[in-house]
Amino acid sequence: MKLGGCVFLGIWWRRCFGLLGAWVVFWAGLDLARAQEHAAYGPPTSRPSSLPTSSQKADTPKAPSFQYEGNFGKKPTTSETPVVRGGIYDRPYIGRLGTSEALGGMSIALGGYTEFLGRYILQEGLTDGFSFEARRFNLFVFSSLGSFVRLTAELEFEQGTSSIALETALVDFRFHRAFVLRGGILLPPIGRFNIAHDGPRYDVIDRPLVSTWVIPSTYSDVGFGVTGSFFPALGHKLYYELYVVNGLRSGIINDSAEGTRIARGKSSAIFAANENGSPALTGRIAYAGPLGLEVGFSGYVGIFNRYRDGAEEIDRALWLKIFAVDAEISFGPVTIRTEAAVAWIDIPDGLVELFADTQWGIYADVIWEFWKGRLGFLREAAFRLVGRVDYVDLHVGRFASTGQDIGDETLRLTLALSFRPYEGTSLRVEYQHSWLTDRLGNVARRAGVQFGVATYF
Amino acid sequence: MSWMFRLLCLWSVWMVCGSGCGVLFTEEPRRETVLDGPIEGLSHAQLQTFKAGDEEFARVFTPATGLGPIFVEASCIACHTADGKGHPSTNLTRFGVGDPTDAARFDYLLHLGGPQLQHRAVLGYQAEKLPNLEGLARSVRSAPIVTGLGLIEAIPESEILRYADPDDKDGDGIRGRPNYVTPPSFFEPVIEHTPKDGKIMGRFGRKAAAINLLQQVAEAYLNDMGITSDFLMKDLHNPLVGGPSGDSAPDPEVSAATVRSVTFYMRTLRPPPRRDAENPVVKQGEGFFAQVGCAKCHVPSMKTGKSAIEALREKTVPLYSDLLLHDMGPKLADGYPEGQATGDMWRTTPLWGLGVIGDLMGGQPFYLHDGRAKTLKEAIDEHGGEAQKSRDRFFALSSTEQEALLAFLRSL
């Protein structure tokens, strides 16, 4: 067994380093000038890719600029162009980065976002009435420790103080914009939503089903890896992220009441130790180009059960594999955003059919910004209409006894109207209608209205 | 701006209009199409207990809350979806070898995991498998509908014995027999029982091997979910593994109060309401039901006697069963005796709720004790033994008459 473990790790690490080596060679060979990047993305700025707008700048005190040193230039450079749109470095508060005398001259920025909502939902005509929810209050910290090191963290309070979690706490060592060594509590890049999930980013209140059930957003894990971006041609950009993390745990099955639930594999204990000693591998590669196009391919592979105790193999290793595709494109005022994922889960013989070995899902948003302009004292307000289709099949398969399809599926339609007084603030009202299919194929309908506010600060 | 406000107005009107519309905001299913809900006449305190039991009935266990280490399903509701009949995928299997006509000479293979197969196990533990033995009897069973059980429990033994005819004195070929079984150590009578040789008449379960609902619930917690309770404290384990090492939850995994609340819930679930009872075709079918002899075993109604719960006292119970054992012929025989039930005997299944079974299984009903029949006709066709004559009479009816009888069954 010990030999088997060594062989496994040997093959695994060899593949991992091989992949890393390939990346290094690739970006080194493509030492494209930063001018290219300037040409493609406009003048260098530390402002996030889309937030806030110039008009918002006018409403807020001018933020002190910050200086990068050393390898990254003597002034803010394109290296600040976010690796991921909507990701941890694409938040408005980073634009307020300044130097604090009280903190000994450290460059630091504080920010966050909050979202709350009210809802009235009926399922099969029955309702528990009207309810408010303080869904999230998240605090961000960003600090640039000189030119080489930067740190960012996110502390999340869900539903008041019912859940408090350190969602991100990572340190980047920037050798080059195409090669950043990252370590700490990070967001495994499975799909795009997990790494760009802030409520104010979206005009629909609830998170996509596929991104919370098949991809267990928000999934944080501890590990390290590399990330970066480079420019193979003018106007085209490639991102990559590749991390080794502790990995999701056996709660996928063990703590799951309704069947396979990947999100149950998350645990605060994940930050303390690896349950089985075998790290998981996760990564994403994405292309960004004209029309705001971004296409990403990502994945996760890891063992989720405790299959050995010291040198003794006490169970069969059970693997979880997730593959995700995400895309976004804009045509004038219309943006289409989608994400799909499929997960394969090893299920032990004694739990076959009770737990799913395959799950998949998809969502698509069509966002129409039908009005944008000055509205009274608001210089650049906007109204958006959003339609979303969500579908997840949490149990792909058939009953051996009857040959019938195993249900456990949800189809949800959402129609939302969002008013954005500023780009980082969304007041929205939405109607959603879900068809919930249980394992046996019984369909229950759930529908209702939600309204809420989400804003960066 | 004006067109934008028009759009907003349109949105608002749509939402306001929609608020009263079942299409947009869903609508409550008609009472007669669902099985759940309390029996009428419960007090507020009883309704609170009912609600507590309802929540426990729907609770899904995990290893952390005591599931297993070996089990069949992880919750009550998994087998009794919406309080209805079990889907074939949730069937359980009992097994043993020996003389199917005599439980005393039947080996329930306790050393090999019998009498019930727990074919699932928590992560890291080994599920049971059927032993590879010559002549192994397998009794595969679906979970029954659980509604109206309190009324069945409140039927006095004397009422049931009215329909018993073990020696077929009337010569009609129907021999209803009660199943007298040994009560468990925690047995608590809820009606007057008349012991016979230290045994008490059973009425629940496919072979009437459980005397009352408390026994049924406590045993289901243990044998179906691997959940120990104050009533049955010893956890299950796969004998081939040696012990319940996969279960780290302290015993009992549920309290007596939990078992009692679930028992109360099942006791006070309302009986399935009739649909289309006044439909002339249904009424005609009811006549054929009696005419072909179905009603001899599927007795249309009985009366409850005393009960601590007023809502169950002195009520007419339209269960369509005599709660007695009958020889059902070789097609349905499982070769597995229980108490005085031999391998070809089954307790007459109450027919109430028959018409909504399919609606709770995604549109495809599965009838009979193991869900083998997809249509009522198939189910009738499987009847043999004491029911053979009735079965033959049914198939001798014209197709219109058969359809009327089936419409009646679907109205139950």
Side-chain angles (χ1 to χ4, degrees):
Chain A
M1 288 319 14
K2 201 170 183 178
L3 181 64
C6 289
V7 169
F8 160 75
L9 279 177
I11 293 169
W12 192 87
W13 280 110
R14 212 167 53 200
R15 284 180 184 171
C16 186
F17 279 113
L19 206 55
L20 276 177
W23 277 116
V24 170
V25 168
F26 191 43
W27 68 254
L30 290 168
D31 186 20
L32 295 173
R34 286 178 181 167
Q36 264 193 341
E37 195 177 344
H38 290 197
Y41 292 94
T45 174
S46 62
R47 184 170 64 81
S49 62
S50 59
L51 298 170
T53 62
S54 55
S55 62
Q56 185 178 356
K57 271 183 162 177
D59 293 340
T60 53
K62 191 179 177 189
S65 60
F66 68 99
Q67 298 283 315
Y68 272 100
E69 299 171 6
N71 295 339
F72 304 112
K74 304 300 182 199
K75 58 183 180 178
T77 71
T78 50
S79 61
E80 282 307 291
T81 302
V83 169
V84 178
R85 268 185 282 168
I88 54 172
Y89 292 127
D90 190 18
R91 287 164 168 164
Y93 81 105
I94 293 180
R96 300 196 297 264
L97 184 70
T99 303
S100 165
E101 295 299 327
L103 295 173
M106 185 184 289
S107 292
I108 197 161
L110 297 175
Y113 77 88
T114 186
E115 58 178 319
F116 68 91
L117 61 107
R119 76 164 76 85
Y120 185 78
I121 302 284
L122 297 97
Q123 182 162 330
E124 293 294 291
L126 302 174
T127 179
D128 287 333
F130 188 82
S131 180
F132 286 110
E133 180 186 345
R135 186 161 278 184
R136 284 182 196 90
F137 178 78
N138 290 26
L139 294 172
F140 305 146
V141 180
F142 173 82
S143 181
S144 173
L145 308 175
S147 62
F148 182 54
V149 181
R150 65 182 180 181
L151 176 146
T152 188
E154 179 177 354
L155 183 64
E156 178 173 81
F157 297 79
E158 276 190 321
Q159 283 139 5
T161 52
S162 64
S163 165
I164 302 172
L166 189 58
E167 202 165 85
T168 313
L170 59 84
V171 182
D172 280 353
F173 298 92
R174 305 186 51 159
F175 295 95
H176 186 276
R177 72 165 183 282
F179 188 80
V180 178
L181 193 62
R182 174 172 292 176
I185 296 175
L186 47 84
L187 299 169
I190 318 171
R192 185 167 149 210
F193 190 88
N194 194 53
I195 52 179
H197 56 261
D198 297 351
R201 282 256 159 215
Y202 298 87
D203 297 292
V204 173
I205 293 171
D206 287 334
R207 294 177 165 187
L209 295 174
V210 62
S211 308
T212 47
W213 292 100
V214 183
I215 300 168
S217 299
T218 306
Y219 165 39
S220 302
D221 207 333
V222 61
F224 79 98
V226 288
T227 179
S229 58
F230 48 92
F231 300 83
L234 194 64
H236 302 271
K237 187 172 182 177
L238 288 170
Y239 317 140
Y240 74 94
E241 295 180 73
L242 186 66
Y243 306 119
V244 177
V245 294
N246 271 344
L248 293 159
R249 297 162 76 97
S250 55
I252 291 171
I253 290 175
N254 258 358
D255 297 341
S256 170
E258 306 88 4
T260 302
R261 295 293 182 262
I262 294 171
R264 297 272 185 174
K266 296 188 289 185
S267 159
S268 56
I270 214 168
F271 302 133
N274 190 336
E275 193 176 34
N276 52 42
S278 299
L281 185 68
T282 176
R284 177 174 181 263
I285 183 166
Y287 160 78
L291 291 175
L293 172 69
E294 180 174 332
V295 181
F297 300 91
S298 53
Y300 169 98
V301 57
I303 296 170
F304 64 88
N305 68 325
R306 188 167 163 266
Y307 68 100
R308 60 181 173 194
D309 186 5
E312 295 295 325
E313 189 168 306
I314 55 173
D315 203 354
R316 178 166 69 93
L318 302 175
W319 290 83
L320 167 67
K321 299 164 195 160
I322 305 173
F323 174 72
V325 181
D326 59 83
E328 182 173 326
I329 192 165
S330 296
F331 304 98
V334 176
T335 299
I336 298 169
R337 186 186 294 142
T338 185
E339 183 163 297
V342 58
W344 297 276
I345 310 103
D346 276 349
I347 300 298
D349 296 341
L351 294 173
V352 168
E353 210 171 85
L354 192 60
F355 288 85
D357 60 10
T358 308
Q359 301 182 326
W360 80 279
I362 187 168
Y363 90 92
D365 279 353
V366 178
I367 305 143
W368 174 35
E369 190 168 85
F370 60 88
W371 189 88
K372 188 173 186 179
R374 190 177 184 108
L375 190 65
F377 59 88
L378 301 171
R379 294 193 174 192
E380 206 166 34
F383 285 90
R384 293 178 185 172
L385 199 56
V386 184
R388 172 180 288 178
V389 183
D390 263 317
Y391 174 77
V392 285
D393 185 349
L394 298 179
H395 201 140
V396 177
R398 293 186 173 276
F399 288 115
S401 52
T402 64
Q404 291 172 301
D405 179 47
I406 301 174
D408 206 358
E409 299 164 29
T410 300
L411 170 67
R412 185 172 70 188
L413 302 179
T414 308
L415 192 60
L417 178 67
S418 168
F419 167 58
R420 287 185 176 268
Y422 308 106
E423 196 161 348
T425 302
S426 169
L427 289 90
R428 52 269 184 107
V429 59
E430 69 182 33
Y431 164 78
Q432 62 172 235
H433 199 121
S434 305
W435 288 262
L436 315 164
T437 306
D438 70 8
R439 285 170 54 83
L440 302 183
N442 300 307
V443 180
R445 288 194 304 144
R446 181 182 160 89
V449 176
Q450 298 190 116
F451 65 89
V453 177
T455 183
Y456 280 115
F457 57 86
Chain B
M1 281 298 290
S2 60
W3 67 269
M4 187 190 76
F5 281 113
R6 278 201 293 272
L7 194 69
L8 275 172
C9 290
L10 193 65
W11 166 273
S12 307
V13 168
W14 180 62
M15 298 307 279
V16 170
C17 291
S19 64
C21 178
V23 174
L24 279 180
F25 285 93
T26 76
E27 52 197 342
E28 201 173 343
R30 295 195 321 276
R31 190 173 176 273
E32 66 271 21
T33 62
V34 293
L35 293 177
D36 59 354
I39 196 164
E40 283 178 17
L42 295 184
S43 67
H44 285 155
Q46 287 171 329
L47 283 170
Q48 294 279 349
T49 311
F50 176 87
K51 184 74 183 160
D54 191 2
E55 285 172 12
E56 287 296 334
F57 192 81
R59 178 182 175 191
V60 189
F61 289 92
T62 66
T65 53
L67 180 67
I70 48 175
F71 62 100
V72 178
E73 282 290 343
S75 67
C76 304
I77 206 162
C79 292
H80 305 279
T81 303
D83 301 317
K85 186 178 184 297
H87 184 268
S89 66
T90 63
N91 280 357
L92 60 84
T93 302
R94 292 188 183 153
F95 61 95
V97 287
D99 184 353
T101 63
D102 188 353
R105 289 190 291 157
F106 191 83
D107 184 353
Y108 291 94
L109 300 173
L110 302 185
H111 62 292
L112 295 175
Q116 183 167 308
L117 178 75
Q118 282 81 28
H119 64 292
R120 288 180 170 135
V122 299
L123 203 58
Y125 200 76
Q126 185 183 327
E128 290 180 340
K129 286 185 177 166
L130 281 175
N132 189 15
L133 294 175
E134 195 177 336
L136 186 79
R138 298 173 54 186
S139 182
V140 179
R141 302 175 186 191
S142 300
I145 288 175
V146 293
T147 56
L149 297 185
L151 292 165
I152 291 178
E153 191 180 46
I155 296 169
E157 287 179 359
S158 55
E159 175 82 352
I160 298 169
L161 291 172
R162 279 177 53 205
Y163 301 97
D165 185 15
D167 302 319
D168 192 20
K169 286 181 180 162
D170 60 6
D172 63 356
I174 309 292
R175 304 161 180 266
R177 276 151 287 208
N179 192 4
Y180 282 92
V181 293
T182 306
S185 58
F186 56 86
F187 173 68
E188 296 170 356
V190 289
I191 58 169
E192 284 180 27
H193 295 279
T194 310
K196 196 173 171 185
D197 301 328
K199 297 181 177 177
I200 294 176
M201 185 197 293
R203 64 183 72 193
F204 295 107
R206 293 291 182 188
K207 297 211 178 198
I211 300 165
N212 62 16
L213 287 173
L214 180 66
Q215 179 188 0
Q216 187 76 7
V217 172
E219 290 179 353
Y221 262 114
L222 184 67
N223 295 320
D224 300 346
M225 298 184 283
I227 299 294
T228 56
S229 65
D230 285 319
F231 301 104
L232 292 165
M233 286 282 283
K234 199 176 168 191
D235 226 332
L236 296 176
H237 67 273
N238 183 342
L240 302 182
V241 175
S245 59
D247 188 334
S248 54
D251 298 321
E253 289 150 349
V254 294
S255 66
T258 298
V259 176
R260 287 186 194 284
S261 70
V262 172
T263 305
F264 186 87
Y265 168 72
M266 293 174 68
R267 189 171 283 150
T268 51
L269 269 168
R270 68 186 168 94
R274 287 287 302 272
R275 291 158 308 289
D276 300 325
E278 299 307 315
N279 184 315
V281 177
V282 169
K283 281 184 169 293
Q284 194 186 15
E286 190 172 6
F288 292 127
F289 183 78
Q291 183 186 315
V292 301
C294 304
K296 285 191 174 176
C297 299
H298 292 285
V299 173
S301 67
M302 293 194 197
K303 279 204 82 167
T304 63
K306 296 173 185 171
S307 172
I309 301 167
E310 192 179 345
L312 300 174
R313 208 176 296 157
E314 308 289 342
K315 302 285 182 192
T316 300
V317 188
L319 75 168
Y320 289 89
S321 169
D322 58 6
L323 302 175
L324 296 169
L325 298 170
H326 297 273
D327 171 5
M328 294 303 294
K331 277 168 128 178
L332 292 176
D334 61 357
Y336 184 88
E338 268 186 288
Q340 290 167 335
T342 61
D344 50 13
M345 285 185 187
W346 298 96
R347 184 204 64 166
T348 308
T349 298
L351 297 183
W352 57 7
L354 205 61
V356 294
I357 283 175
D359 297 337
L360 307 175
M361 292 186 183
Q364 172 59 63
F366 295 93
Y367 301 108
L368 294 175
H369 65 273
D370 54 3
R372 69 177 70 175
K374 289 185 178 175
T375 64
L376 287 169
K377 249 185 177 174
E378 279 179 36
I380 294 167
D381 194 26
E382 290 288 310
H383 283 57
E386 294 174 36
Q388 185 68 43
K389 282 183 190 169
S390 295
R391 176 224 167 266
D392 295 344
R393 284 189 208 117
F394 170 80
F395 284 102
L397 293 174
S398 70
S399 61
T400 312
E401 291 166 338
Q402 285 181 11
E403 279 308 314
L405 197 153
L406 296 176
F408 163 70
L409 293 176
R410 284 191 288 269
S411 77
L412 297 177

